[in-house]
């Protein structure tokens, strides 16, 4: 896995140490331009959907209409997670295993358990 500290996060800014960062593992990954573009497009669509639900709420939309939109957002977030997880397995996990770092398998198992709550 490519370690890159050019990511805006609290541990990179030395606001907290990497071992105590509440938002990340302290690990970083350089993503190729296409992966970033694809994932960002998904997030922008989700962000638009959330703003749409805010508007629905402000305009007193009917409960079930809002619930259906929230369900669509949940589905979109699940799709985002699936794409990110697939990329993670194909890159980070595979590279670490090739380098003999089998600890990444335990990390993946823990991540999968948390995702399946």
């Amino acid at each position: 896995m490519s370690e890159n500290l050019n990511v805006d996060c609290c541990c990179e800014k030395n606001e907290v140490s990497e071992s105590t960062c509440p938002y990340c593992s302290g690990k970083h990954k350089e993503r190729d331009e296409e992966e970033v573009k694809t994932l960002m497009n998904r997030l922008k669509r989700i962000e638009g959907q959330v703003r749409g639900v805010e508007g629905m709420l402000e305009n007193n939309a009917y409960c079930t209409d809002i619930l259906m939109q929230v369900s669509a957002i949940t589905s979109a977030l699940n799709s985002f997670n699936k794409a990110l997880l697939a990329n993670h397995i194909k890159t980070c996990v595979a590279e670490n295993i090739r380098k003999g770092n089998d600890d990444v398998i335990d990390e993946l198992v823990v991540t999968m358990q948390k995702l399946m709550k």
Side-chain angles (χ1 to χ4, degrees):
M1 177 171 63
S2 175
E3 300 269 334
N4 175 11
L5 294 181
N6 293 329
V7 176
D8 282 339
C9 76
C10 56
C11 61
E12 197 277 322
K13 296 176 186 174
N14 295 320
E15 293 173 7
V16 297
S17 71
E18 288 184 7
S19 62
T20 60
C21 178
Y23 304 108
C24 67
S25 66
K27 297 178 183 178
H28 298 85
K29 176 189 178 189
E30 281 189 42
R31 290 178 173 80
D32 65 53
E33 194 174 313
E34 187 60 32
E35 179 183 358
V36 172
K37 182 180 175 184
T38 300
L39 292 172
M40 288 299 290
N41 284 341
R42 285 176 181 258
L43 286 177
K44 295 292 181 187
R45 277 194 301 270
I46 293 166
E47 182 181 21
Q49 288 176 294
V50 171
R51 280 195 307 273
V53 169
E54 288 174 349
M56 292 174 76
L57 192 59
E58 289 169 349
N59 292 312
N60 299 316
Y62 192 60
C63 300
T64 57
D65 295 334
I66 295 173
L67 288 167
M68 290 301 101
Q69 289 305 310
V70 171
S71 178
I73 293 168
T74 301
S75 178
L77 282 169
N78 284 335
S79 292
F80 176 87
N81 264 357
K82 288 175 193 174
L84 187 60
L85 180 61
N87 288 339
H88 176 61
I89 293 169
K90 291 175 185 176
T91 59
C92 302
V93 174
E95 288 174 25
N96 273 279
I97 290 171
R98 282 187 208 107
K99 291 178 182 176
N101 179 9
D102 291 341
D103 291 343
V104 72
I105 296 169
D106 294 331
E107 179 186 79
L108 178 60
V109 169
V110 169
T111 299
M112 295 293 297
Q113 289 170 339
K114 289 178 180 178
L115 289 174
M116 294 180 165
K117 282 185 181 180

